[in-house]
Amino acid sequence: MSDPAGTNPAGMVRDARRDGQVLRDAATSDLARRFPIRWLSEHAVLPLRSEPDGVVVAAENVPSPAVQESLSHHLGMSVRFEQHAASDIRAAILAAPRDRVDAPIAVDETWRSDQTESLDDLRAQASREPVVQLVNAILSEAMRAGASDVHIESMADGVRVRHRLDGVLHDVQTLGREFRASVLSRIKVMASLDIAERRVPQDGRARVRLGALDVDVRVSTLPALHGESVVLRLLEGGQQTATQTLEALGLATPLLARWRSLIQRPDGLLLATGPTGSGKSTTLHASLRERSTSDVKVVTVEDPVECRLESAVQLPVNVRAGFGFATALRAILRHDPDVILVGEMRDTETAEIAVRAALTGHLVFSTLHTTDAVSAVQRLLDMDVPPFLLGATLQGVVAQRLVRRVCIHCIEDRTPTATEQAQYRAVQSTFPSGFPESLSRVAIGTGCSICSGTGYRGRVAIAELLTMDDRLRALVLAGESAPALRAAVRETWKTSGAHDLAADGWRAVLDGSTTPSEVSRVISHETIG
């Protein structure tokens, strides 16, 4: 059978996607049950499926004639081979439910208790080759899928593994209870954490080599009811190099033009707001790429440094050593910077130093966790930043979310529902500029192999931009409430042709970039109102 991915010189059909779920399903199939687990693992082969012309078997390379003969004999059919990594095959075999008639490979009774192991037992389990292969396979599959995070959660009946893809969690597999201690211990060893400590949260990091990839893994553990929960943040190549451009974020052209004019200022405070995972840091790093030229000194302080800026001085926070955001900011100001990035304004001291730096001739970028742009003003006032300082320094706030982009490989149009029409009319009546009177079609993804059946692939930013003017500064100085500020901002947007976050979401719907349901998913009713 022909294969679009090509064929290697040995005649093996290659599977470019190397679907981990296919291997896990195959490991529990009747075909696999015809062989001893030890034998399948030793030779790194796994029957996948029966086809009219024979059985397709997973293998990294074409096996020896003796192995091929054994496969054909036990399967009663001819075999051909589909390429999968040997480590992935062994990991799938190892993770299969243990109801087989033969003894499980490399799994003894010391694995089965996750409550009473000694420190030496935990270290021994974490170093076992099958466990190393299983954890590496979990990470490899996540990288191939494009996951940003891997969630490994202890449940009553085992260990659940989930990926966060394009901001949404997806179940991947469930491991048996016998793997709880060994897998979690392996991750802790990789991140240089205390493997015997399960009562308190721990944070660490590890550098893992997966094939040709160097992956930087940020590890965070939490004690939970049935055992520890672990989240792994994956960064290919260690800290990623900032190559994302502002255009690539998908921001609306008018908003992008106004933001670009702000980031070229010589001084002032610019903020990006939104919940965790809304793309704030990506937007600010893309902005810094445009400001980071040979005649401009850029210094950043971040926790942690996740994205490399080639011509910037980047400082990682080290709270244990007493090097927090406030301490770092004071030191940065003695290094004559032009542009400063503060990863996050977490406390009053950091906020006040950043604002004063903006007042003394520096352009300061930072982030806040607020639902919309106007709330950032109130948040800084709540952090005891004096209104006169805030009014004098704050130049702009961009509030954003990331929505999933409709997969271009399975995109189709459909007629909008009555509910979607009503939602659109509400936005169009509030911000008529740039929005047609009616919504005629919306794009959807029907689901395909490229997007794993979700209908989405990748993400695009939607945003609103508050630009401070004399009227807003006067309201801040007068101590007006957040609702009064919000009403003034919305009036300014209407007269200038700008719009809020919800309207920008519908702008992305009109463009065919996303769907109405996706906009509703990421924007709360409070934000829309």
Side-chain angles (χ1 to χ4, degrees):
M1 184 177 65
S2 63
D3 178 27
T7 305
N8 69 4
M12 177 184 295
V13 178
R14 302 180 62 91
D15 178 8
R17 291 193 299 140
R18 298 182 181 179
D19 191 343
Q21 188 60 52
V22 169
L23 293 175
R24 288 191 292 274
D25 292 342
T28 61
S29 69
D30 290 338
L31 292 175
R33 292 174 186 272
R34 301 183 188 185
F35 301 87
I37 291 178
R38 289 181 182 273
W39 188 86
L40 292 174
S41 179
E42 178 183 352
H43 298 288
V45 293
L46 183 61
L48 295 178
R49 59 188 179 274
S50 294
E51 293 185 349
D53 58 343
V55 176
V56 179
V57 178
E60 185 167 72
N61 298 299
V62 176
S64 67
V67 172
Q68 294 186 51
E69 183 178 349
S70 295
L71 287 167
S72 298
H73 174 74
H74 285 86
L75 294 170
M77 299 180 70
S78 62
V79 296
R80 58 189 180 85
F81 299 97
E82 184 175 276
Q83 189 176 50
H84 291 260
S87 59
D88 291 351
I89 295 171
R90 291 191 174 103
I93 295 169
L94 176 64
R98 297 299 165 190
D99 56 356
R100 301 282 295 271
V101 295
D102 54 329
I105 57 164
V107 178
D108 55 39
E109 291 304 316
T110 64
W111 288 36
R112 300 190 181 278
S113 169
D114 53 359
Q115 300 297 327
T116 59
E117 305 92 336
S118 68
L119 185 60
D120 289 340
D121 286 340
L122 290 172
R123 286 175 176 157
Q125 292 176 29
S127 301
R128 292 177 183 267
E129 185 61 26
V131 178
V132 174
Q133 290 183 355
L134 177 57
V135 172
N136 286 351
I138 290 172
L139 295 176
S140 296
E141 184 175 351
M143 289 300 298
R144 288 196 297 268
S148 60
D149 304 88
V150 179
H151 293 242
I152 301 176
E153 301 158 335
S154 297
M155 313 295 289
D157 57 349
V159 180
R160 180 170 63 177
V161 180
R162 297 195 285 176
H163 292 168
R164 188 173 293 280
L165 297 169
D166 295 331
V168 178
L169 279 174
H170 299 270
D171 285 337
V172 177
Q173 64 176 311
T174 299
L175 305 173
R177 290 183 69 252
E178 65 268 22
F179 297 106
R180 183 180 297 157
S182 55
V183 168
L184 296 180
S185 295
R186 174 61 189 167
I187 293 170
K188 287 183 176 181
V189 168
M190 290 164 51
S192 300
L193 301 179
D194 184 349
I195 61 175
E197 180 56 77
R198 301 173 179 174
R199 301 165 297 175
V200 297
Q202 297 188 71
D203 295 290
R205 59 186 295 175
R207 175 64 66 87
V208 182
R209 182 78 171 178
L210 300 174
L213 296 178
D214 283 321
V215 182
D216 193 28
V217 184
R218 306 291 165 80
V219 180
S220 178
T221 73
L222 281 176
L225 179 62
H226 298 294
E228 289 178 290
S229 174
V230 180
V231 176
L232 310 175
R233 169 63 59 88
L234 307 179
L235 293 172
E236 182 179 338
Q239 295 92 9
Q240 294 176 325
T241 301
T243 58
Q244 185 84 292
T245 63
L246 287 172
E247 287 87 358
L249 300 177
L251 296 172
T253 302
L255 182 147
L256 182 56
R258 297 198 306 275
W259 178 251
R260 275 206 164 108
S261 69
L262 290 173
I263 68 176
Q264 295 301 324
R265 289 182 56 88
D267 55 23
L269 176 64
L270 297 176
L271 298 175
T273 74
T276 300
S278 60
K280 302 183 297 293
S281 296
T282 301
T283 296
L284 292 187
H285 281 98
S287 302
L288 287 179
R289 284 189 71 233
E290 297 198 1
R291 283 306 313 270
S292 185
T293 57
S294 59
D295 58 339
V296 174
K297 178 158 186 172
V298 177
V299 183
T300 76
V301 52
E302 304 167 73
D303 182 23
V305 176
E306 293 186 352
C307 188
R308 290 195 305 268
L309 290 164
E310 296 296 347
S311 56
V313 178
Q314 295 179 272
L315 313 178
V317 165
N318 189 339
V319 177
R320 292 181 180 178
F323 190 67
F325 280 112
T327 303
L329 261 177
R330 291 192 188 93
I332 287 171
L333 292 175
R334 294 192 291 269
H335 278 246
D336 190 28
D338 298 296
V339 179
I340 301 170
L341 169 65
V342 181
E344 182 182 347
M345 289 191 182
R346 296 179 177 174
D347 52 55
T348 298
E349 185 180 18
T350 302
E352 185 168 346
I353 297 173
V355 168
R356 292 189 180 278
L359 189 66
T360 55
H362 305 89
L363 182 62
V364 180
F365 293 87
S366 192
T367 68
L368 282 174
H369 288 88
T370 63
T371 57
D372 60 11
V374 175
S375 298
V377 177
Q378 190 61 50
R379 175 74 178 121
L380 289 174
L381 292 173
D382 291 343
M383 294 171 73
D384 295 327
V385 175
F388 74 92
L389 277 181
L390 186 58
T393 57
L394 184 61
Q395 301 300 326
V397 182
V398 59
Q400 68 179 67
R401 303 287 191 276
L402 293 177
V403 294
R404 290 182 291 174
R405 190 190 297 270
V406 176
C407 176
I408 61 173
H409 300 281
C410 59
I411 188 171
E412 290 184 2
D413 286 344
R414 67 164 173 82
T415 302
T417 66
T419 300
E420 292 167 349
Q421 290 278 20
Q423 292 172 338
Y424 176 78
R425 283 194 296 270
V427 168
Q428 197 274 339
S429 63
T430 305
F431 300 100
S433 177
F435 290 89
E437 291 186 3
S438 62
L439 180 67
S440 58
R441 308 291 293 175
V442 296
I444 61 168
T446 58
C448 65
S449 60
I450 303 298
C451 62
S452 301
T454 64
Y456 299 97
R457 185 170 176 82
R459 290 190 287 179
V460 62
I462 59 175
E464 64 184 23
L465 177 59
L466 181 158
T467 303
M468 293 294 288
D469 57 20
D470 292 340
R471 180 188 179 192
L472 293 178
R473 289 190 175 92
L475 292 175
V476 171
L477 288 173
E480 292 290 348
S481 64
L485 285 172
R486 186 169 287 106
V489 170
R490 289 173 72 88
E491 189 62 34
T492 300
W493 283 340
K494 289 180 184 179
T495 57
S496 65
H499 47 249
D500 66 6
L501 194 57
D504 200 50
W506 282 97
R507 184 267 313 168
V509 171
L510 287 173
D511 291 346
S513 299
T514 193
T515 62
S517 60
E518 186 66 6
V519 173
S520 299
R521 182 183 68 85
V522 302
I523 301 179
S524 66
H525 293 292
E526 292 79 5
T527 303
I528 294 173

